Amino acid sequence: MRGRQTVRDMVLSLAVIGVLVGAIYIFIPHDESADAAKNAVKAVDYRVELITARRAAPYPVAAPQGLPKTWRATSVSYKASDDGKGGAWHLGLLDPEEQYAAVEQSDAPARKFIQEVTLGATRTAGKQAVGSKKWDRYEGDRYKALVREEKGVTTVVTGTAPYGRLADLAAALVAK
């Protein structure tokens, strides 16, 4: 008789646990809609960081103006170097199709900087026309990039977004 009570008690215990798990699942909110996924990445306001970077950087810092509201800024930073060279501006965004794009700028040596921010992308043949300027195209395993080297600063528009979206972002850049 003792063996049967043990099995019966175990089955009753499992039933009670099952009811508790079911109740928790029902009463704890979980939203699996597309809006939930879209809102999982928080948008940031980068205006204060942009003003600070423009004051601190030894080069004109570029930021987009006039992009549609469907572009969302998700990360921003400016890191100054101790010696006044190598300061780096970063602005990460999601495009309207939820692809990542970023504006990266620095006065550090261009080759090393480009390799770091593009995650090892290499230069490809051809150029991308953006307005009246030509940008070099880079492609890697993870990121594509448009690169423009000017006196004292390298600007890289990089990410998982297609070249057309990267060009849209590059065209919206205003350096001050």
Side-chain angles (χ1 to χ4, degrees):
M1 190 75 181
R2 184 90 172 129
R4 289 185 185 160
Q5 285 180 332
T6 305
V7 172
R8 186 179 137 247
D9 291 342
M10 184 175 62
V11 170
L12 289 173
S13 295
L14 286 173
V16 169
I17 291 171
V19 168
L20 286 173
V21 168
I24 289 171
Y25 180 79
I26 289 170
F27 292 111
I28 291 184
H30 48 280
D31 188 359
E32 297 170 6
S33 67
D35 288 336
K38 186 175 182 177
N39 293 330
V41 177
K42 300 293 182 201
V44 298
D45 184 356
Y46 62 90
R47 291 177 291 186
V48 172
E49 287 86 352
L50 177 60
I51 291 167
T52 303
R54 284 181 169 163
R55 286 182 184 156
Y59 54 85
V61 174
Q65 279 187 352
L67 280 178
K69 293 194 185 295
T70 51
W71 287 77
R72 296 182 296 143
T74 59
S75 60
V76 61
S77 66
Y78 177 75
K79 295 177 187 165
S81 63
D82 294 334
D83 62 358
K85 288 285 186 188
W89 164 249
H90 160 83
L91 177 61
L93 303 115
L94 285 180
D95 77 359
E97 294 169 3
E98 301 295 311
Q99 292 295 315
Y100 179 70
V103 177
E104 309 280 358
Q105 278 189 298
S106 181
D107 59 344
R111 176 175 284 161
K112 183 179 177 194
F113 175 68
I114 294 166
Q115 286 298 302
E116 286 175 7
V117 299
T118 65
L119 303 179
T122 56
R123 190 173 176 177
T124 62
K127 302 238 183 208
Q128 177 83 36
V130 177
S132 63
K133 298 178 182 176
K134 301 281 186 187
W135 293 60
D136 295 322
R137 291 174 72 146
Y138 281 68
E139 188 156 351
D141 293 335
R142 293 185 59 201
Y143 285 173
K144 296 176 184 74
L146 299 176
V147 176
R148 182 146 174 83
E149 293 180 54
E150 297 174 297
K151 185 178 179 189
V153 64
T154 302
T155 304
V156 180
V157 178
T158 187
T160 60
Y163 283 115
R165 292 281 181 183
L166 296 178
D168 291 345
L169 178 55
L173 293 179
V174 175
K176 293 180 184 178

